[in-house]
């Protein structure tokens, strides 16, 4: 093992807790140097990520397709005449994808669909002596799916976002994905769009795609909800357009937290950490363990496995910046820190892992035992892999069918219900100083 550490290793609980639970708000994250240089090239000055997003959204709202084409040229380096992907392009993409890859995407689709079909709930009507109450369930009309393709195409993210929407009954689903340098969209993304039954795919990425789906342009219709992960600019754009449209969540840089004891295999722990770290330099891969011996062995495995990766540089940057291995006195401390961190992915690599499930209070997804690596959750397990990050798992959930359904309440009281429930309603209205509310009830009581 070289003298240069790959990842921070903590044996002091307070130091580990301070590092892991530090503030990782998107607004305060420093952009990598290459991204800062790109911002200067496009805008002619240094801007924060939030300032970049403000400029782009305002321009798209004002100039529509012209702004989309400008930013696609300036940021993606490609000139696009027609934003919509044609049927012929999709057919060609489906033919270009290797058969075994297409079959794997179909397997993922079917697993995602089967899982989310179990989430469907029913409308209901209840009649009692006061009349009728109930709820209607109505799917959203049009949903926009953002599919990232910057560092690599992510057809899995398209499936994980679109399939639950389709299961919910959404009538129209569109996709925005960044174009390649030749003006095409990744064949993998188009094949996934074909499998998922997407209505339209558009060649536009980044914050400008979020603006187009939120505000609408001549080419791209405004949607009711935008879902799907993306980079910091995409996430901040989603935050700003919330209210114009609904959004699923604000998925920031991806996170995995492993809790491991001395029964865990060091090579698998290292492999799981690296699988997370290779996503992005801002990704966070953390292991909490009760075994100092395991911590040393995982460090050695990281040194051994890193050079074998295609994305070694990205994984190395991620581990150096946000990675950590913490040696803790017991699993109680590990779960306390894990719940405070509220990770996107929580992996339990401990003996009798199922017995610890009730200790989990906050996580996007829990991966129980050695046979359930987070990577399977990324692709073929079934639940959507679009999960809350940045401690938002304290109050939000992975993409699910209910994201795409509205509840409409039904109130149909009878005269007995009016007489029974009207007087207390009028009294509350008077207490609130809303005399018109009170009189609307009292006039009915006077006539009954």
């Amino acid at each position: 093992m070289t003298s240069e550490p790959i990842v921070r290793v903590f044996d002091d609980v307070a130091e580990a807790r301070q590092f892991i639970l530090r503030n990782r708000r998107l607004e305060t994250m420093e952009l990598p140097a290459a991204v800062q240089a790109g911002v200067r090239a496009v805008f002619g000055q240094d801007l924060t990520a939030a300032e970049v997003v403000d400029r782009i959204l305002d321009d798209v709202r004002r100039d529509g397709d012209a702004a989309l084409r400008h930013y696609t040229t300036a940021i993606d380096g490609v000139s696009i005449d027609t934003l919509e992907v044609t049927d012929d392009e999709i057919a060609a993409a489906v033919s270009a994808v290797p058969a075994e890859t297409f079959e794997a995407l179909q397997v993922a689709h079917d697993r995602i669909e089967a899982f989310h079909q179990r989430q469907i709930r029913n409308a209901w009507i209840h009649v009692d002596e006061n009349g009728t109450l109930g709820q209607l369930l109505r799917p959203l009309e049009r949903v926009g799916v953002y599919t990232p393709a910057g560092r690599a195409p992510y057809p899995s993210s398209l499936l994980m976002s679109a399939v639950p929407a389709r299961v919910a009954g959404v009538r129209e689903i569109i996709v925005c994905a960044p174009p390649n340098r030749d003006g095409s969209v990744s064949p993998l993304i188009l094949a996934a769009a074909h499998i998922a039954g997407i209505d339209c795919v558009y060649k536009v990425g980044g914050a400008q795609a979020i603006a187009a789906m939120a505000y609408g342009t001549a080419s791209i219709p405004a949607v009711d909800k935008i879902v799907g992960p993306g980079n910091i600019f995409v996430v901040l754009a989603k935050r700003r357009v919330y209210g114009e449209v609904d959004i699923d969540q604000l998925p920031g840089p991806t996170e995995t937290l492993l809790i491991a004891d001395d029964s865990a295999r060091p090579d698998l722990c290292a492999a799981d950490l690296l699988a997370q770290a290779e996503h992005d330099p801002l990704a966070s891969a953390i292991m909490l363990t009760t075994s100092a011996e395991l911590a040393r062995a995982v460090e050695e495995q990281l040194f051994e496995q890193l050079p074998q990766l295609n994305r070694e540089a990205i994984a190395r940057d991620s581990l150096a910046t946000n990675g950590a291995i913490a040696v803790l006195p017991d699993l109680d401390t590990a779960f306390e820190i894990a719940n405070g961190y509220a990770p996107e992915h929580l992996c339990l690599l401990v003996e009798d892992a199922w017995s610890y499930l009730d200790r989990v209070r906050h996580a996007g997804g829990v991966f129980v035992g050695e046979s359930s690596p987070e990577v399977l959750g990324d692709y073929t397990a079934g639940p959507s892999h679009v999960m809350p990050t940045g401690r938002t798992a304290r109050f939000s959930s992975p993409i699910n069918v209910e994201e795409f359904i509205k509840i409409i309440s039904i109130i149909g009281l009878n005269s007995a219900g009016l007489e029974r429930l009207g007087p207390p309603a009028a009294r509350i209205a008077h207490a609130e100083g809303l005399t018109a509310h009170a009189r609307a009830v009292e006039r009915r009581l006077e006539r009954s």
Side-chain angles (χ1 to χ4, degrees):
M1 207 164 63
T2 71
S3 59
E4 281 292 323
I6 282 180
V7 66
R8 292 175 179 82
V9 178
F10 296 95
D11 55 15
D12 181 278
V13 174
E15 290 180 358
R17 183 182 285 109
Q18 182 179 19
F19 176 78
I20 294 168
L21 302 184
R22 73 196 189 283
N23 183 0
R24 296 188 71 224
R25 292 179 58 196
L26 286 173
E27 294 90 339
T28 62
M29 287 185 181
E30 184 175 346
L31 296 174
V35 176
Q36 292 175 349
V39 168
R40 285 193 296 273
V42 172
F43 296 96
Q45 63 184 118
D46 288 321
L47 298 173
T48 66
E51 289 170 336
V52 168
V53 167
D54 286 346
R55 291 270 191 100
I56 293 174
L57 266 61
D58 290 345
D59 288 349
V60 173
R61 185 199 281 269
R62 184 184 64 246
D63 299 329
D65 286 350
L68 296 181
R69 292 190 177 94
H70 165 73
Y71 283 115
T72 301
T73 300
I75 296 173
D76 298 310
V78 57
S79 177
I80 299 291
D81 293 325
T82 302
L83 296 173
E84 184 176 350
V85 176
T86 66
D87 291 342
D88 287 345
E89 288 177 292
I90 293 175
V94 170
S95 298
V97 171
E100 61 271 21
T101 303
F102 190 87
E103 291 169 5
L105 290 172
Q106 187 69 59
V107 169
H109 170 277
D110 294 348
R111 291 282 301 177
I112 299 163
E113 183 179 58
F115 176 86
H116 289 90
Q117 281 176 340
R118 299 179 70 89
Q119 296 179 335
I120 297 173
R121 59 172 168 166
N122 298 318
W124 57 269
I125 297 287
H126 174 72
V127 181
D128 62 16
E129 66 276 10
N130 297 312
T132 303
L133 296 176
Q135 66 181 28
L136 300 174
L137 301 181
R138 295 289 185 265
L140 302 184
E141 296 282 337
R142 182 186 292 134
V143 165
V145 176
Y146 185 79
T147 302
R151 297 182 181 276
Y154 289 104
S156 57
S157 288
L158 187 155
L159 295 176
M160 295 289 181
S161 300
V163 175
R166 191 63 82 195
V167 170
V170 173
R171 296 182 184 180
E172 183 180 355
I173 303 175
I174 68 171
V175 166
C176 285
N180 297 317
R181 289 283 180 170
D182 63 1
S184 67
V185 172
S186 163
L188 287 171
I189 289 176
L190 295 183
H194 173 77
I195 290 170
I198 298 302
D199 294 284
C200 291
V201 180
Y202 298 96
K203 303 174 183 180
V204 58
Q208 57 270 28
I210 303 304
M213 291 189 283
Y215 307 138
T217 71
S219 297
I220 301 177
V223 302
D224 301 312
K225 183 164 190 166
I226 300 172
V227 299
N231 63 20
I232 187 171
F233 302 105
V234 169
V235 175
L236 291 177
K238 287 172 69 177
R239 172 177 287 171
R240 179 169 160 186
V241 301
Y242 176 68
E244 294 272 356
V245 294
D246 191 17
I247 61 172
D248 53 342
Q249 53 189 261
L250 299 168
T254 188
E255 308 159 349
T256 279
L257 189 147
L258 278 59
I259 296 180
D261 60 15
D262 57 8
S263 70
R265 283 176 47 180
D267 60 329
L268 297 184
C269 292
D272 289 349
L273 292 172
L274 290 172
Q276 195 67 23
E278 74 171 349
H279 271 292
D280 189 292
L282 296 177
S284 177
I286 293 170
M287 185 179 80
L288 309 180
T289 181
T290 54
S291 169
E293 182 179 352
L294 176 67
R296 287 191 295 271
V298 170
E299 263 198 290
E300 292 171 1
Q301 282 293 319
L302 290 174
F303 276 104
E304 181 178 325
Q305 294 182 33
L306 249 177
Q308 303 169 23
L309 303 181
N310 291 339
R311 296 159 68 92
E312 176 188 357
I314 293 172
R316 191 178 293 275
D317 285 349
S318 169
L319 290 174
T321 305
N322 297 307
I325 297 174
V327 181
L328 304 175
D330 49 52
L331 290 177
D332 288 341
T333 306
F335 279 98
E336 178 237 319
I337 292 175
N339 283 315
Y341 185 63
E344 178 185 15
H345 311 113
L346 176 62
C347 304
L348 304 184
L349 297 176
V350 294
E351 193 171 6
D352 193 19
W354 283 101
S355 68
Y356 292 94
L357 202 57
D358 63 351
R359 299 201 191 185
V360 179
R361 298 196 310 276
H362 307 303
V366 185
F367 299 81
V368 186
E370 190 176 279
S371 298
S372 301
E374 185 271 320
V375 170
L376 288 187
D378 282 343
Y379 299 118
T380 53
S384 175
H385 74 204
V386 183
M387 296 181 176
T389 63
R391 297 188 68 229
T392 60
R394 294 174 296 122
F395 52 79
S396 62
S397 308
I399 279 186
N400 59 83
V401 167
E402 293 192 9
E403 295 263 9
F404 306 101
I405 293 175
K406 300 176 298 179
I407 296 174
I408 302 174
S409 298
I410 303 169
I411 302 97
L413 302 178
N414 55 29
S415 57
L418 173 63
E419 292 177 3
R420 190 175 292 112
L421 302 176
R427 286 194 291 272
I428 295 171
H430 280 299
E432 292 181 344
L434 301 176
T435 54
H437 279 62
R439 289 302 297 156
V441 172
E442 291 164 348
R443 287 180 185 278
R444 286 171 168 79
L445 292 173
E446 289 165 1
R447 295 180 58 184
S448 63

